[in-house]
Amino acid sequence: MTEIVGFCVAAVVLVGASLAVVLTPNLFHAVLWLAAALVATGGIFLLLDSPFLFAVQLLLYAGGVVTIVVFAIMLTERLVGASIRQTSRFVFSGAVLAAAVFAAIMGFVLQGGAVARPIAGGDQLRELGRALAGPFGVPLQLLGVLLVIALLGALYFARAED
Amino acid sequence: MPLAAYLVLAALVFVIGLFGVLTRRNAVGILLGIELMLNAVNINLVAFARFRADLAGLVFTLFTIAITVAEVAVGLAIVIVIFRVRRTIEADHLDLLRG
Amino acid sequence: MRLGSPELALLVLALPFVSFLALALIRPLRRSGRPAALVSILAMAGALGAAAALTWQAIPVARDVNPSVLWSWLPADGGPMASVGVWVDGMAMQMCVLVTLISLLVQIYSWSYLADEPPASLGRYYAYHSLFAFSMLGLVLSPGFLQMFVFWELVGLCSYLLIGYWYDRPSAARAAVKAFWITKLGDLGFVAGIVMLWAATGTFDFWPLFQAAQAGTLQVDGLATIMFLIYLGAVGKSAQFPLHIWLPDAMEGPTPVSALIHAATMVTAGVYMVARAYPLFALVPSVLMLIAWVGAFTALLAATMACVERDIKRVLAYSTVSQLGYMMAANGAGAPGAAFQHLTTHGVFKALLFLGAGIVIHHFHTNDVFRMGGLFRQRPWVGGAFLVATLALAGVWPLPGFFSKEAVLGAVLDAHLSVPFLMLIATSFLTAFYMFRVVFLTFFGHAHAEHHEHPAPPIAMDAVCRALAVLTLALGLRAALTGHHAEGPAWLPWISLAWAGAGIVLAWTVYQARAVDPARLSAALAPIDILARRRYFLDAIFAGAYRFLLLGFSQVIGWVDRYVVDGVLNALSAGALRAGDTLRRLQTGRAQDYVYGVALGVLLLLVWAQLG
């Protein structure tokens, strides 16, 4: 029962915040709504018995990403000298296309039969750690390399003009 | 809650993100849309992992989150550079590739 | 029948070819001029020696011995489709001697005649000469139509190259192209004929064809058509009416080249081919009749044109056309032997006439006979040699022309071709007239005052002329002493001698004694005179036909190309451009529009997956 209530709350917050992200004219507000949506997503992760991912979501996404975006907005806002109002283009066609894609996905989702939810058990965090160190060890290393390259690239792009 | 509920939710968030990507004029706004779409994917991955008792979904989610962070960092750096050069971050004005 | 050794024949063939290869491939040798000429002359002397040895060593054999040696060429199922080889009978050997002899003498003559040419050009000239001799010898020794055709075309190519030797002169370049194309017109018939003959009989080789023809077992539908087509090749090569128009223009080449073309190599090829293939022609009397008529008509027509020509080389060119008409008439009258005899004797004295004319032109620096005169007193040797050749051409006893012309006339009379016979008799009168016209105008009469003293002609040119004059006399005397007489009534020699004498007397009256004004003579014969001066409008007709047919056709094709072919292409390209112009608007350059594309694509994939 608590799951249903939790899901409903998280879903409403998530969908509402998402809509706000794409609809609000104030870019800064949009970022804050994004943060709300990300936190709600973290809640969904909790409902799916993944507290570790919830923590990662909060730390990296809601914390890191939103911070970076806020910094970027403030930087450009400082450069442009006015608060950035954002407008939308082709709202109707975008909505139609998005709705069509949604309908198409729904076609698949509704085709699938009900799947029984297995009993959660074991130490998920330990298993995750083993997986990351074992079968997924190489991708993890590559991911580290990717992050380093991305950071260096971002630094290079954003360096002060000389 | 059945699996379908999570999937419908994820699909909804995904198309909302798509809508944002399609309609936002501001480059940062487009990036926010992309974040939403990636987030929807994460929900899907975690939900499948849970319902199929498969750890790979969780690992992929971790990877996605990490890659997203990198993407955001690089994307915003590009936005800042474009802004410096063109004095705008309106995506409509960035049409150097026009045929 | 006499049979020669094939090895010697191959040697005759190989020497000029080796010389040509050496001159063509070794650039420093070719560009050195004189050494190149020496190589070519030595090779040709060797070839003459080999040809003489070939004739000397020939052994008499029975008539039914195959005189050819063959090697298979184009392999095919069931035996070779075509073969190459040599055919060494008496006619071929005699022709080999003639070709090598004239080529050698002309090459020696050219040594002095073209002494002022730059060395590189001279090397090129001798390279062409070697190739020319090789081609003609290959043609002469051909044992089959296919090989003959290959060498036939090579001969045509070489005459093109030599006529256009001074290719920087527009007139020479035009004459070379004209000679090439006019003879190609005949060659079209030739190649069609031999291919049809091959299709009907399955062989190109003379021997099986002749055997079947003589045994009467050659059953070919439309043989008359085939032989007529083959004869067309000879019409082009041997300058028969109406394809004779290239020969006078071929005078644009150096004079020794004219001597070579007229005496031994190019124009004789057609006569030789018809004589060679006579067993086949004998099966189709209608074609033979045509050959005789066309030959006699050509002889008469060319003789009239020679009477009004002022250019000494062109007079000689028309006389060659005329004499070729004699040879062809003999072929058509069923006497290839008489034709071949006239071919050889004519080769010798026509070479002498041209080489003598070369000296004359060298002396006067003009080709116009009316601006010459009185050369005999200054150059008695040249005058004597030229006179001997002229008498031979006019057919005066005891010079070789008399006997060979007698043989031709006798054969034509024998074949009951009375009209061609009358034409040929008239021609012999005209021949004597126009040749003595040249002699009186050039060697006698008044020396024009404007000519200061000239150095004597170079020794090589002089020696060659003397050698040819001696040879002409010797040939005539041999014929006179051996009592070589053609068949024919007893009055025939007297008639032809009388006509020749009348021609000489008329020329003397008009141009030497000046008893009759030439203008009045031509006024009396006004229609013929005008026609002959205009060359019977044949050049104009050819040019007109070319202009109307070919250019008209080209214009039609050009119109089709410009408006139909190009139109389709233009429409296609314009459509492509317009389509591209329309489609490029899809490329807005805005990232979000591309995202629309991606989303639509995803949508399509989803729908497709759903339906599938």
Side-chain angles (χ1 to χ4, degrees), chain C residues 373-405:
Chain C
L375 186 60
F376 195 86
R377 240 163 291 150
Q378 294 175 39
R379 303 266 178 270
W381 266 104
V382 177
F386 200 86
L387 194 60
V388 166
T390 305
L391 285 169
L393 180 56
V396 173
W397 192 88
L399 290 161
F402 169 77
F403 300 102
S404 53
K405 202 179 271 191

Short mmCIF file of all heavy atoms in Angstrom, two decimals, chain C residues 373-405:
data_model
loop_
_atom_site.label_atom_id
_atom_site.label_comp_id
_atom_site.label_asym_id
_atom_site.label_seq_id
_atom_site.Cartn_x
_atom_site.Cartn_y
_atom_site.Cartn_z
N GLY C 373 62.29 25.91 -120.99
CA GLY C 373 62.68 25.86 -122.40
C GLY C 373 64.18 25.75 -122.57
O GLY C 373 64.97 26.22 -121.74
N GLY C 374 64.55 25.06 -123.64
CA GLY C 374 65.94 25.02 -124.04
C GLY C 374 66.87 24.28 -123.11
O GLY C 374 68.08 24.53 -123.10
N LEU C 375 66.32 23.34 -122.38
CA LEU C 375 67.18 22.65 -121.41
C LEU C 375 68.09 21.64 -122.09
O LEU C 375 69.15 21.30 -121.57
CB LEU C 375 66.29 21.95 -120.37
CG LEU C 375 67.01 21.29 -119.19
CD1 LEU C 375 67.81 22.34 -118.43
CD2 LEU C 375 66.04 20.60 -118.27
N PHE C 376 67.69 21.18 -123.31
CA PHE C 376 68.44 20.09 -123.93
C PHE C 376 69.88 20.49 -124.17
O PHE C 376 70.79 19.70 -123.95
CB PHE C 376 67.76 19.70 -125.25
CG PHE C 376 68.23 18.37 -125.76
CD1 PHE C 376 67.63 17.19 -125.32
CD2 PHE C 376 69.29 18.28 -126.66
CE1 PHE C 376 68.06 15.97 -125.76
CE2 PHE C 376 69.73 17.05 -127.11
CZ PHE C 376 69.11 15.89 -126.66
N ARG C 377 70.08 21.72 -124.60
CA ARG C 377 71.44 22.15 -124.90
C ARG C 377 72.30 22.21 -123.65
O ARG C 377 73.47 21.92 -123.68
CB ARG C 377 71.41 23.52 -125.58
CG ARG C 377 72.04 23.48 -126.98
CD ARG C 377 71.63 24.70 -127.77
NE ARG C 377 70.22 24.66 -128.09
CZ ARG C 377 69.46 25.75 -128.25
NH1 ARG C 377 69.97 26.94 -128.08
NH2 ARG C 377 68.21 25.63 -128.58
N GLN C 378 71.68 22.57 -122.52
CA GLN C 378 72.47 22.66 -121.29
C GLN C 378 72.67 21.29 -120.65
O GLN C 378 73.71 21.03 -120.05
CB GLN C 378 71.75 23.56 -120.27
CG GLN C 378 71.68 25.01 -120.71
CD GLN C 378 70.87 25.84 -119.74
OE1 GLN C 378 70.96 25.65 -118.54
NE2 GLN C 378 70.06 26.74 -120.26
N ARG C 379 71.68 20.44 -120.73
CA ARG C 379 71.76 19.14 -120.06
C ARG C 379 71.41 18.04 -121.05
O ARG C 379 70.35 17.44 -120.97
CB ARG C 379 70.75 19.08 -118.90
CG ARG C 379 70.92 20.18 -117.87
CD ARG C 379 71.78 19.73 -116.72
NE ARG C 379 71.94 20.84 -115.80
CZ ARG C 379 72.95 21.72 -115.91
NH1 ARG C 379 73.83 21.62 -116.88
NH2 ARG C 379 73.05 22.70 -115.05
N PRO C 380 72.27 17.78 -121.96
CA PRO C 380 71.93 16.78 -122.99
C PRO C 380 71.66 15.40 -122.40
O PRO C 380 70.80 14.68 -122.89
CB PRO C 380 73.17 16.77 -123.90
CG PRO C 380 74.25 17.44 -123.13
CD PRO C 380 73.61 18.37 -122.16
N TRP C 381 72.36 15.05 -121.34
CA TRP C 381 72.16 13.72 -120.77
C TRP C 381 70.75 13.58 -120.20
O TRP C 381 70.06 12.60 -120.42
CB TRP C 381 73.19 13.44 -119.67
CG TRP C 381 74.37 12.73 -120.20
CD1 TRP C 381 75.61 13.26 -120.47
CD2 TRP C 381 74.43 11.36 -120.57
NE1 TRP C 381 76.44 12.31 -120.98
CE2 TRP C 381 75.73 11.12 -121.04
CE3 TRP C 381 73.51 10.32 -120.56
CZ2 TRP C 381 76.15 9.88 -121.50
CZ3 TRP C 381 73.92 9.08 -121.01
CH2 TRP C 381 75.22 8.86 -121.46
N VAL C 382 70.38 14.62 -119.45
CA VAL C 382 69.04 14.58 -118.86
C VAL C 382 68.01 14.57 -119.97
O VAL C 382 67.03 13.80 -119.95
CB VAL C 382 68.84 15.79 -117.93
CG1 VAL C 382 67.42 15.79 -117.39
CG2 VAL C 382 69.85 15.77 -116.82
N GLY C 383 68.22 15.44 -120.96
CA GLY C 383 67.27 15.51 -122.07
C GLY C 383 67.18 14.17 -122.77
O GLY C 383 66.08 13.71 -123.11
N GLY C 384 68.32 13.54 -122.99
CA GLY C 384 68.31 12.26 -123.68
C GLY C 384 67.54 11.22 -122.89
O GLY C 384 66.70 10.49 -123.44
N ALA C 385 67.81 11.18 -121.59
CA ALA C 385 67.12 10.19 -120.76
C ALA C 385 65.62 10.44 -120.77
O ALA C 385 64.82 9.51 -120.93
CB ALA C 385 67.67 10.24 -119.34
N PHE C 386 65.26 11.71 -120.64
CA PHE C 386 63.84 12.05 -120.62
C PHE C 386 63.20 11.70 -121.96
O PHE C 386 62.07 11.18 -122.02
CB PHE C 386 63.69 13.55 -120.34
CG PHE C 386 62.33 13.94 -119.84
CD1 PHE C 386 62.03 13.87 -118.48
CD2 PHE C 386 61.34 14.37 -120.71
CE1 PHE C 386 60.78 14.22 -118.01
CE2 PHE C 386 60.09 14.72 -120.26
CZ PHE C 386 59.81 14.65 -118.89
N LEU C 387 63.94 11.94 -123.02
CA LEU C 387 63.41 11.65 -124.35
C LEU C 387 63.20 10.15 -124.54
O LEU C 387 62.18 9.72 -125.10
CB LEU C 387 64.39 12.18 -125.41
CG LEU C 387 63.84 12.26 -126.82
CD1 LEU C 387 62.65 13.19 -126.89
CD2 LEU C 387 64.93 12.74 -127.79
N VAL C 388 64.14 9.36 -124.04
CA VAL C 388 64.00 7.91 -124.14
C VAL C 388 62.71 7.48 -123.43
O VAL C 388 61.90 6.71 -123.97
CB VAL C 388 65.22 7.21 -123.51
CG1 VAL C 388 64.93 5.73 -123.28
CG2 VAL C 388 66.43 7.36 -124.43
N ALA C 389 62.53 8.00 -122.22
CA ALA C 389 61.34 7.61 -121.45
C ALA C 389 60.07 8.08 -122.15
O ALA C 389 59.06 7.37 -122.18
CB ALA C 389 61.43 8.19 -120.06
N THR C 390 60.13 9.28 -122.74
CA THR C 390 58.96 9.81 -123.43
C THR C 390 58.60 8.95 -124.63
O THR C 390 57.43 8.62 -124.86
CB THR C 390 59.23 11.25 -123.88
OG1 THR C 390 59.62 12.00 -122.75
CG2 THR C 390 58.00 11.86 -124.49
N LEU C 391 59.63 8.56 -125.37
CA LEU C 391 59.38 7.70 -126.52
C LEU C 391 58.81 6.37 -126.07
O LEU C 391 57.90 5.81 -126.70
CB LEU C 391 60.68 7.49 -127.30
CG LEU C 391 61.13 8.69 -128.13
CD1 LEU C 391 62.55 8.49 -128.64
CD2 LEU C 391 60.18 8.91 -129.30
N ALA C 392 59.32 5.89 -124.94
CA ALA C 392 58.80 4.62 -124.43
C ALA C 392 57.34 4.76 -124.06
O ALA C 392 56.51 3.89 -124.38
CB ALA C 392 59.62 4.18 -123.22
N LEU C 393 57.01 5.86 -123.41
CA LEU C 393 55.63 6.08 -123.01
C LEU C 393 54.73 6.24 -124.23
O LEU C 393 53.60 5.77 -124.26
CB LEU C 393 55.54 7.32 -122.11
CG LEU C 393 54.16 7.68 -121.58
CD1 LEU C 393 53.57 6.51 -120.83
CD2 LEU C 393 54.24 8.89 -120.67
N ALA C 394 55.26 6.91 -125.25
CA ALA C 394 54.47 7.11 -126.46
C ALA C 394 54.32 5.81 -127.23
O ALA C 394 53.47 5.71 -128.12
CB ALA C 394 55.12 8.18 -127.33
N GLY C 395 55.15 4.82 -126.91
CA GLY C 395 55.02 3.53 -127.57
C GLY C 395 55.71 3.48 -128.92
O GLY C 395 55.13 3.08 -129.92
N VAL C 396 56.96 3.93 -128.94
CA VAL C 396 57.71 3.96 -130.19
C VAL C 396 58.69 2.79 -130.18
O VAL C 396 59.37 2.52 -129.19
CB VAL C 396 58.46 5.30 -130.33
CG1 VAL C 396 59.39 5.27 -131.52
CG2 VAL C 396 57.45 6.43 -130.46
N TRP C 397 58.74 2.10 -131.31
CA TRP C 397 59.67 0.98 -131.45
C TRP C 397 61.09 1.51 -131.40
O TRP C 397 61.33 2.59 -131.94
CB TRP C 397 59.39 0.29 -132.79
CG TRP C 397 60.07 -1.02 -132.93
CD1 TRP C 397 59.62 -2.23 -132.55
CD2 TRP C 397 61.36 -1.23 -133.51
NE1 TRP C 397 60.53 -3.21 -132.84
CE2 TRP C 397 61.61 -2.61 -133.43
CE3 TRP C 397 62.33 -0.38 -134.07
CZ2 TRP C 397 62.80 -3.18 -133.90
CZ3 TRP C 397 63.50 -0.95 -134.53
CH2 TRP C 397 63.73 -2.35 -134.45
N PRO C 398 62.05 0.88 -130.83
CA PRO C 398 62.02 -0.41 -130.16
C PRO C 398 62.08 -0.26 -128.64
O PRO C 398 62.86 -0.95 -128.00
CB PRO C 398 63.31 -1.04 -130.66
CG PRO C 398 64.26 0.15 -130.74
CD PRO C 398 63.44 1.39 -130.94
N LEU C 399 61.32 0.63 -128.10
CA LEU C 399 61.37 0.84 -126.65
C LEU C 399 60.31 -0.02 -125.96
O LEU C 399 59.33 -0.42 -126.59
CB LEU C 399 61.16 2.32 -126.34
CG LEU C 399 62.41 3.11 -126.80
CD1 LEU C 399 62.10 4.58 -126.96
CD2 LEU C 399 63.54 2.89 -125.83
N PRO C 400 60.49 -0.32 -124.69
CA PRO C 400 59.65 -1.34 -124.03
C PRO C 400 58.17 -0.97 -124.05
O PRO C 400 57.32 -1.85 -124.13
CB PRO C 400 60.20 -1.40 -122.61
CG PRO C 400 61.00 -0.17 -122.44
CD PRO C 400 61.53 0.18 -123.78
N GLY C 401 57.88 0.34 -124.02
CA GLY C 401 56.48 0.75 -124.03
C GLY C 401 55.76 0.28 -125.27
O GLY C 401 54.58 -0.03 -125.25
N PHE C 402 56.48 0.23 -126.36
CA PHE C 402 55.89 -0.22 -127.62
C PHE C 402 55.36 -1.64 -127.50
O PHE C 402 54.20 -1.94 -127.82
CB PHE C 402 56.94 -0.13 -128.73
CG PHE C 402 56.53 -0.80 -130.00
CD1 PHE C 402 55.62 -0.20 -130.86
CD2 PHE C 402 57.05 -2.05 -130.34
CE1 PHE C 402 55.24 -0.82 -132.03
CE2 PHE C 402 56.67 -2.67 -131.51
CZ PHE C 402 55.76 -2.06 -132.35
N PHE C 403 56.21 -2.51 -126.95
CA PHE C 403 55.84 -3.92 -126.90
C PHE C 403 54.72 -4.17 -125.90
O PHE C 403 53.77 -4.88 -126.20
CB PHE C 403 57.06 -4.77 -126.55
CG PHE C 403 58.16 -4.62 -127.55
CD1 PHE C 403 59.25 -3.82 -127.29
CD2 PHE C 403 58.07 -5.25 -128.79
CE1 PHE C 403 60.25 -3.66 -128.22
CE2 PHE C 403 59.07 -5.10 -129.73
CZ PHE C 403 60.17 -4.29 -129.45
N SER C 404 54.82 -3.53 -124.74
CA SER C 404 53.79 -3.82 -123.74
C SER C 404 52.46 -3.20 -124.15
O SER C 404 51.39 -3.80 -123.98
CB SER C 404 54.22 -3.29 -122.36
OG SER C 404 54.57 -1.93 -122.44
N LYS C 405 52.53 -2.02 -124.78
CA LYS C 405 51.29 -1.40 -125.23
C LYS C 405 50.67 -2.22 -126.35
O LYS C 405 49.45 -2.39 -126.44
CB LYS C 405 51.57 0.04 -125.69
CG LYS C 405 50.34 0.92 -125.66
CD LYS C 405 50.68 2.32 -126.11
CE LYS C 405 51.10 3.20 -124.96
NZ LYS C 405 51.16 4.62 -125.35
#
